[in-house]
Amino acid sequence: MLGRKIDVLNRGQIPIYEPGLAELVARNVAEGRLHFTTDLAAAAKQSRLVFLGVGTPPGKDGKADLSALWGVVDQLAPHLRDDAIVICKSTVPVGTNAKTAARLKELTGRDIDVASNPEFLKEGVAIDDFMKPDRVVVGARRQEVIDVLQELYQPYLRTDKPFLAMSPESAEMTKYAANSLLSTKISFINEIANLCEHAGADINDIRRGIGHDSRIGFAFLFPGAGYGGSCFPKDVRALAALAREYGVEPRMLNAVHTVNENQKTVLIQKIERHFAGKLSDKAIAIWGLAFKPGTDDIREAPALVLIDRLLAAKATVRVFDPEAMQNVRAIYGDRLVYCQRRDDALRGVDALAICTEWKQFVHPDFEEMRHVMRQPIIFDGRNLYNPQRMRVAGFTYYSIGRPDVK
Ligand SMILES: NC(=O)c1ccc[n+]([C@@H]2O[C@H](COP(=O)([O-])OP(=O)(O)OC[C@H]3O[C@@H](n4cnc5c(N)ncnc54)[C@H](O)[C@@H]3O)[C@@H](O)[C@H]2O)c1
């Protein structure tokens, strides 16, 4: 598996979709600064700094599964140089740095420096985030290690952005706190949006009404069909699991997760309500499968919950996503109709559901859409359109936290 990925990279291809990454990798390979290998011993011998970026997916009870991390630590240990610094970029529970150092001591008999350097980039704009970070956080126990990493990151921190040195435990906790707070903002605005639907208020007005308060701001306060991806869901659960291990009840984190699980079902609830629960003779189009625009990542994507529920109700499901189709096909095989173009997905459908706010969904030709759809009904999980305009365009239009248009 790993060997196959490395072969792909060595052929100059990138196994994931991330804007700009292929060009960046190709340039650095061509100029001899970057190469890929499965020869851990040779790579470790040449390297003072060894970064670990393996996956830490949710395991049992939401705890982070660290098996890939321990696998790589064990493989690496015999090959590490005396002056090596092992730097953990994976998001890991508090205490993992200390356990890594202890494991390396056990395996090598040496005190190998281990630093914690959480990654804050966003998929879809990963390169920009990496090159222009808001801050770099490094947790280490020795000043020399901090100095080496500060020198490494200095070219990316030439403006006023800070390099924040702290203990490894604080660095590990910082990453979980950041993702948990961002998830909290999303679940909060989703809960208010759901309330707006009952109260006859419009979440877009509320969003603006609170966002202009400089203490609140606008970021991560867009309502939608729930957050997904490889980080927020797993990190909220992992921090909650960590709290429980300490005997602390993670009330906020539990609520953030529960609200989000429910939010992933709001589109199917609206669809079922509209069609009075009878979907077996309905065809539904889905635009957007990736958990957010700019990526082909479908891990924990809200679209998957919708697909599962539609298939369980025996609906025909026609899907389109600019990048994530292959990943979805790998899960659902021939149970879905895969459409190569956005508008092909609409042919003969009783409704369109929108799960990801890709730019190409923002200004469709509504006139044309009404012609190809069997019924002009849209369930918009990302609030892309103006409800009044949808009324004029002749659509029945459901969105999140705003008045329905029928
Ligand atoms: N994806 C993000 O946006 C993001 C952002 C910040 C932090 N993180 C954190 O970074 C870590 C990785 O996330 P990801 O989304 O890239 O995960 P991923 O599962 O997409 O990638 C992990 C990679 O590690 C490789 N790997 C596994 N075992 C290995 C081994 N023994 N030796 C070498 N390689 C091995 C896998 O082949 C895979 O390519 C996670 O801890 C995640 O929480 C991710």
Side-chain angles (χ1 to χ4, degrees):
M1 174 75 175
L2 205 51
R4 245 199 353 257
K5 249 183 214 172
I6 297 297
D7 288 345
V8 164
L9 288 163
N10 275 327
R11 282 202 305 274
Q13 293 159 5
I14 303 292
I16 58 166
Y17 175 74
E18 179 62 45
L21 189 59
E23 296 82 344
L24 184 73
V25 167
R27 192 173 70 243
N28 285 288
V29 168
E31 291 171 15
R33 282 188 292 268
L34 175 64
H35 69 272
F36 303 95
T37 179
T38 51
D39 186 346
L40 196 58
K45 206 163 134 197
Q46 289 170 35
S47 310
R48 178 167 191 208
L49 305 186
V50 180
F51 283 85
L52 309 183
V54 297
T56 49
K60 265 208 302 241
D61 309 328
K63 276 169 70 169
D65 174 353
L66 297 182
S67 53
L69 185 83
W70 299 132
V72 83
V73 165
D74 285 8
Q75 282 173 280
L76 191 61
H79 309 295
L80 286 170
R81 289 170 21 172
D82 283 344
D83 63 348
I85 303 174
V86 174
I87 303 148
C88 185
K89 271 230 155 268
S90 298
T91 303
V92 290
V94 180
T96 305
N97 178 294
K99 286 185 189 157
T100 307
R103 180 73 184 147
L104 288 173
K105 172 96 181 179
E106 190 184 325
L107 293 169
T108 65
R110 289 180 282 147
D111 286 312
I112 291 168
D113 286 309
V114 181
S116 298
N117 173 209
E119 179 53 61
F120 298 102
L121 63 76
K122 300 183 286 299
E123 289 181 19
V125 282
I127 296 172
D128 231 38
D129 282 351
F130 183 81
M131 301 285 190
K132 297 179 212 147
D134 289 334
R135 78 305 205 185
V136 169
V137 169
V138 167
R141 290 182 217 283
R142 286 201 315 121
Q143 187 59 41
E144 190 195 333
V145 173
I146 291 168
D147 292 345
V148 169
L149 286 170
Q150 185 151 20
E151 192 187 337
L152 179 76
Y153 281 114
Q154 209 275 328
Y156 306 104
L157 296 169
R158 292 177 67 186
T159 49
D160 58 342
K161 303 301 184 191
F163 178 91
L164 302 171
M166 55 185 76
S167 74
E169 288 69 29
S170 297
E172 290 167 335
M173 183 62 100
T174 296
K175 174 65 193 173
Y176 278 121
N179 273 0
S180 296
L181 181 54
L182 293 171
S183 308
T184 301
K185 291 180 87 174
I186 297 173
S187 277
F188 174 82
I189 202 71
N190 282 337
E191 185 154 291
I192 300 294
N194 295 343
L195 274 174
C196 283
E197 292 182 12
H198 290 282
D202 183 331
I203 191 63
N204 210 30
D205 291 335
I206 284 67
R207 200 179 59 75
R208 289 183 297 139
I210 62 174
H212 283 288
D213 185 326
S214 57
R215 295 168 302 177
I216 296 174
F218 286 98
F220 281 77
L221 287 178
F222 287 92
Y227 60 75
S230 67
C231 291
F232 288 1
K234 89 169 164 67
D235 292 349
V236 168
R237 271 176 288 163
L239 188 54
L242 188 74
R244 282 191 293 273
E245 270 180 31
Y246 293 138
V248 176
E249 183 59 25
R251 293 187 185 88
M252 289 260 306
L253 299 169
N254 287 343
V256 169
H257 174 64
T258 308
V259 167
N260 193 57
E261 288 297 288
N262 177 65
Q263 200 65 17
K264 287 181 176 180
T265 67
V266 292
L267 281 188
I268 187 68
Q269 286 178 39
K270 287 171 192 277
I271 293 171
E272 282 175 345
R273 214 175 301 134
H274 178 92
F275 292 111
K278 190 163 181 318
L279 295 175
S280 56
D281 57 346
K282 300 290 182 299
I284 309 289
I286 301 179
W287 280 0
L289 305 169
F291 84 92
K292 67 173 183 178
T295 179
D296 62 352
D297 197 340
I298 57 165
R299 286 176 281 186
E300 310 221 23
L304 305 188
V305 173
L306 178 60
I307 291 173
D308 287 340
R309 295 279 295 263
L310 288 172
L311 289 178
K314 303 213 172 349
T316 301
V317 185
R318 298 173 64 84
V319 297
F320 170 78
D321 186 281
E323 298 296 335
M325 299 278 271
Q326 254 186 325
N327 288 337
V328 169
R329 196 191 285 271
I331 298 177
Y332 292 97
D334 59 9
R335 286 184 289 157
L336 306 176
V337 182
Y338 301 92
C339 303
Q340 290 316 308
R341 290 182 321 160
R342 183 193 72 180
D343 294 349
D344 289 346
L346 302 178
R347 286 193 194 291
V349 297
D350 296 281
L352 163 67
I354 302 174
C355 290
T356 317
E357 65 277 30
W358 285 98
K359 280 206 179 69
Q360 60 169 283
F361 302 155
V362 178
H363 295 294
D365 181 340
F366 291 116
E367 188 64 26
E368 177 65 19
M369 284 170 72
R370 253 186 335 127
H371 280 117
V372 291
M373 294 171 76
R374 187 153 60 199
Q375 301 190 59
I377 306 172
I378 298 178
F379 296 90
D380 182 355
R382 298 294 164 192
N383 286 3
L384 295 186
Y385 312 129
N386 176 311
Q388 276 69 43
R389 284 212 208 125
M390 297 312 289
R391 184 191 303 281
V392 173
F395 280 83
T396 297
Y397 179 64
Y398 298 93
S399 53
I400 310 289
R402 300 185 299 175
D404 296 335
V405 169
K406 288 181 189 161

